[in-house]
Amino acid sequence: MATISQAPHEAAGAAPWKTHEVFNQAPPLEGVDVFASNTPLVEAVQREGAGWVCERASELGRFVGGEPQQQWGRLANENEPVLRLFDRYGHRIDEVEFHPAWHQLMKMGVENELHSLPWTSEQPFPHTARAALYMTAMQAEAGFACPITMTFAVVPALRAQPELAAEWEPLVTASTYDPRLVPASEKGCAIAGMAMTEKQGGSDVRANTTVATPLNGGGAGAEHEIVGHKWFCSAPMSDFFLVLAQTDDGLSCFLMPRILPDGSRNAFHIQRLKDKLGNRSNASSEVEFHGAWARMLGEPGRGVPTIIEMVGHTRLDCVIGTAAGMRVGVVNATHHAAHRSAFGKRLIDQPLMRNVLADLCVEAEATTALAMRLARAYDEAQEDADAHEDSSDAQLFKRLATAVGKFWTCKRAPNHAFESLECLGGAGYVEESGMPRLYREAPLASIWEGSGNVMSLDVLRALTRSPRSLEVFLAEVEQASGADARLDASVAALKEQFGDPATLEQRARRVVEGMALCLQGSLLVRHAPSAVADAFCASRLAGDGGLEYGTLPAGVDFEGIIARSRPQS
Ligand SMILES: Cc1cc2nc3c(=O)[nH]c(=O)nc-3n(C[C@H](O)[C@H](O)[C@H](O)COP(=O)(O)OP(=O)(O)OC[C@H]3O[C@@H](n4cnc5c(N)ncnc54)[C@H](O)[C@@H]3O)c2cc1C
């Protein structure tokens, strides 16, 4: 009889599948307080006046570093929202079904008041405090930030119509999350969306063809019936939307609920969900209004000035969200490099990798500093508005710096995500690293709510409307005058850029880039450690750097810059 001889590895006592040891891989980055370990953010929130939120942000940071970061973000993206147009009996329902992880993220956002803090808190600098919380929560995932932002941003627009604000503001600022499609008054809370973009025009919303017809008289606050479509309408399960539509008086803004006051469904019909590059946990839809009921918000024909209040606040969040995304890139890149060795050294100790990592850290810190300074401008502008001041310095700075900041920081995001991804080598290209998700998300903030050119032109518009805003902006930048010759020279060159108004539109991107770099340079020179400010000024202002990350000049304190931004694990 034949016998099967014993395999050599069995004889040696080893498992048959054991071909190798796994080593030289980074350990999972778990249990990190994603707020407290973000030193540039902690310093910025204290500097900009909202230090009171640190303990609370740290509690959120510890929470986010657990399940939200490890599980929820991934699950919400792997299990994409599904459109259910009909129920099993054939009734039209127009609902979108989400994975439970999406609802967990939304609940986290609402319970932590990311959508409401500036409208409800009695503490100083609540916008600044909220920015720190928002940046912390977004370390888990970016998609849910879209409806959270729209719910936050709708409040100042709602206030254009006091009776609608009285009805809806308590609902959108409630800190409970209830995704059911039932009357918001029954739930005691609401999520808001916005629908402006149509097929024939998104930037140019005045080309909207959707029509609103008054049901009984018309005018501000009056009921209307709306017929038309929207080509992009994100978070279509929201409880209500601000919608632009044409009236006899011109483009006007409307508040359109999904559920009518009698409990029935509004004629708000979802056509399909967008198959998007990224942001896949969030649903973005195409919708049609077949005689949908809505009430006019603000004055007839003043749709753009009314909704612009909402748009401005969403642009602020584009900047804060971009800083959050860059932080995710820095954390992953530095963590991997600290634990992975190649050619006899840890990657973080390889001179060229140090240059790449330090450059990524500098960019993320410059973006964080700008975002937090901008958030404080919203606090100061609000204080002035409460004191019935119009066109105050803070209000002018906020208006201009929002456009400047959104253009520049959002433009810097995709390459930052790509370079962070590449620091992980091939593993960074693999979904389970989370880096492809970061990379796919990165271009969105630049497109949404004013694409790059539109933001550059918006800067020129702000300058034309109020020439004094340039003075106010430069006064902020020049607070660092004399501290760094490279910054001083850049500010002088920037001023010259405004010398030839005839070609200003063609040069708008360059001018806005110059403004953003001077503002970031000024903030870092005043507030960041000299290593960070020095690297920024050399590479971004004095031209001693290349077109790619990792081109800081030799002599920069690479180690110090990385150590400051690296999560400790
Ligand atoms: C994921 C996602 C979600 C979205 N969610 C919503 C939503 O919830 N609600 C909503 O209303 N919209 C939403 N949008 C739409 C978004 O706001 C628009 O796509 C954006 O405003 C650009 O409009 P558009 O697509 O019509 O492009 P266009 O206006 O056609 O612009 C195309 C390009 O031309 C440039 N351009 C435009 N005008 C000028 C000019 N005068 N000079 C030079 N260049 C110019 C723009 O910068 C852009 O690069 C969403 C978009 C995305 C991608």
Side-chain angles (χ1 to χ4, degrees):
M1 195 169 69
T3 56
I4 300 171
S5 60
Q6 205 178 27
H9 57 254
E10 282 179 47
W17 41 265
K18 188 148 188 180
T19 60
H20 64 285
E21 294 290 335
V22 177
F23 67 101
N24 197 24
Q25 291 279 350
L29 191 56
E30 286 171 352
V32 175
D33 175 342
V34 301
F35 170 74
S37 59
N38 186 350
T39 305
L41 175 60
V42 173
E43 287 179 10
V45 72
Q46 284 165 340
R47 174 171 78 236
E48 304 296 357
W52 60 267
V53 85
C54 285
E55 210 170 300
R56 182 173 161 176
S58 204
E59 198 179 314
L60 177 61
R62 285 191 295 276
F63 181 71
V64 169
E67 249 192 307
Q69 202 175 46
Q70 308 303 325
Q71 299 288 346
W72 297 353
R74 177 180 65 76
L75 288 171
N77 278 274
E78 284 176 2
N79 302 280
E80 294 180 15
V82 177
L83 176 59
R84 304 266 180 233
L85 282 182
F86 299 93
D87 71 8
R88 59 183 286 203
Y89 307 104
H91 303 111
R92 184 135 194 173
I93 53 170
D94 294 281
E95 292 191 12
V96 181
E97 204 171 79
F98 291 88
H99 187 270
W102 167 265
H103 295 301
Q104 283 166 312
L105 287 162
M106 286 294 292
K107 187 167 178 286
M108 174 180 77
V110 171
E111 287 181 355
N112 283 282
E113 302 178 292
L114 305 182
H115 67 308
S116 63
L117 198 71
W119 319 125
T120 55
S121 174
E122 298 292 320
Q123 298 275 9
F125 300 100
H127 274 289
T128 311
R130 171 193 174 265
L133 295 170
Y134 185 94
M135 231 184 267
T136 300
M138 276 189 72
Q139 300 302 298
E141 152 68 4
F144 83 104
C146 166
I148 293 289
T149 284
M150 293 195 289
T151 307
F152 153 69
V154 80
V155 171
L158 275 180
R159 290 178 179 172
Q161 201 60 44
E163 73 276 20
L164 289 177
E167 181 182 343
W168 286 97
E169 193 172 323
L171 300 173
V172 290
T173 54
S175 51
T176 46
Y177 171 65
D178 184 343
R180 288 176 303 145
L181 212 49
V182 298
S185 55
E186 209 175 283
K187 301 194 285 185
C189 58
I191 295 294
M194 71 202 300
M196 300 187 292
T197 308
E198 296 187 3
K199 289 173 184 165
Q200 71 285 351
S203 312
D204 188 6
V205 289
R206 289 187 193 275
N208 274 192
T209 59
T210 295
V211 172
T213 309
L215 289 172
N216 35 31
E223 296 176 37
H224 285 70
E225 190 178 78
I226 298 194
V227 175
H229 81 283
K230 295 292 165 184
W231 179 232
F232 277 91
C233 176
S234 290
M237 287 296 280
S238 300
D239 295 285
F240 72 94
F241 300 85
L242 295 201
V243 171
L244 290 179
Q246 301 288 357
T247 65
D248 287 347
D249 298 299
L251 195 64
S252 306
C253 183
F254 294 88
L255 188 156
M256 181 186 286
R258 283 219 57 189
I259 304 291
L260 294 172
D262 68 2
S264 63
R265 296 196 171 191
N266 207 352
F268 172 107
H269 294 134
I270 304 175
Q271 304 305 300
R272 59 174 171 165
L273 298 186
K274 298 284 195 189
D275 184 7
K276 296 177 287 184
L277 168 69
N279 193 254
R280 297 187 77 94
S281 64
N282 181 26
S284 299
S285 65
E286 295 167 21
V287 294
E288 287 183 3
F289 310 133
H290 300 113
W293 182 89
R295 288 182 65 187
M296 189 183 282
L297 186 75
E299 292 300 313
R302 302 281 298 157
V304 173
T306 303
I307 210 165
I308 208 76
E309 279 295 325
M310 182 171 186
V311 170
H313 286 78
T314 58
R315 288 176 178 170
L316 165 68
D317 275 9
C318 288
V319 179
I320 302 170
T322 295
M326 287 186 180
R327 176 67 192 165
V328 174
V330 161
V331 166
N332 280 283
T334 54
H335 176 70
H336 179 84
H339 294 278
R340 175 90 169 170
S341 296
F343 302 98
K345 270 188 197 161
R346 290 186 313 159
L347 288 173
I348 206 167
D349 297 324
Q350 293 284 7
L352 185 52
M353 181 56 100
R354 273 192 181 165
N355 197 327
V356 174
L357 295 171
D359 217 354
L360 292 171
C361 293
V362 167
E363 191 69 28
E365 179 152 1
T367 304
T368 301
L370 197 158
M372 296 304 285
R373 173 64 189 90
L374 191 57
R376 175 159 70 89
Y378 277 69
D379 283 316
E380 291 168 341
Q382 186 61 48
E383 243 175 61
D384 292 345
D386 292 345
H388 304 291
E389 258 192 80
D390 210 11
S391 300
S392 71
D393 284 4
Q395 287 163 344
L396 294 177
F397 178 76
K398 164 193 146 181
R399 167 76 181 88
L400 190 56
T402 302
V404 169
K406 180 179 181 303
F407 169 76
W408 181 243
T409 61
C410 297
K411 277 273 169 260
R412 298 290 283 170
N415 210 37
H416 191 279
F418 155 58
E419 202 64 61
S420 305
L421 178 158
E422 191 172 308
C423 289
L424 276 69
Y429 200 71
V430 173
E431 284 294 338
E432 61 191 2
S433 72
M435 301 306 277
R437 178 149 59 94
L438 179 72
Y439 180 67
R440 286 193 300 267
E441 184 77 24
L444 176 53
S446 186
I447 297 170
W448 195 48
E449 295 297 355
S451 308
N453 288 352
V454 171
M455 291 320 302
S456 303
L457 297 175
D458 193 50
V459 170
L460 301 189
R461 190 175 308 115
L463 291 173
T464 309
R465 285 241 170 106
S466 175
R468 198 169 70 78
S469 57
L470 183 59
E471 276 170 45
V472 171
F473 185 88
L474 290 171
E476 166 77 24
V477 170
E478 286 177 334
Q479 284 183 38
S481 263
D484 189 297
R486 297 163 295 191
L487 176 61
D488 293 345
S490 297
V491 177
L494 174 64
K495 287 177 181 169
E496 279 174 26
Q497 294 264 15
F498 295 97
D500 177 17
T503 61
L504 206 49
E505 185 167 337
Q506 285 153 27
R507 294 182 293 109
R509 278 190 179 219
R510 225 162 119 179
V511 173
V512 178
E513 175 176 322
M515 293 174 79
L517 289 172
C518 285
L519 178 57
Q520 288 183 320
S522 171
L523 289 166
L524 294 182
V525 163
R526 279 181 280 155
H527 306 302
S530 58
V532 176
D534 180 52
F536 185 93
C537 290
S539 57
R540 273 75 166 168
L541 298 179
D544 196 1
L547 294 178
E548 293 291 349
Y549 287 104
T551 50
L552 295 173
V556 157
D557 178 7
F558 300 106
E559 220 175 323
I561 293 170
I562 297 167
R564 171 175 169 76
S565 281
R566 219 188 113 191
Q568 300 309 318
S569 58

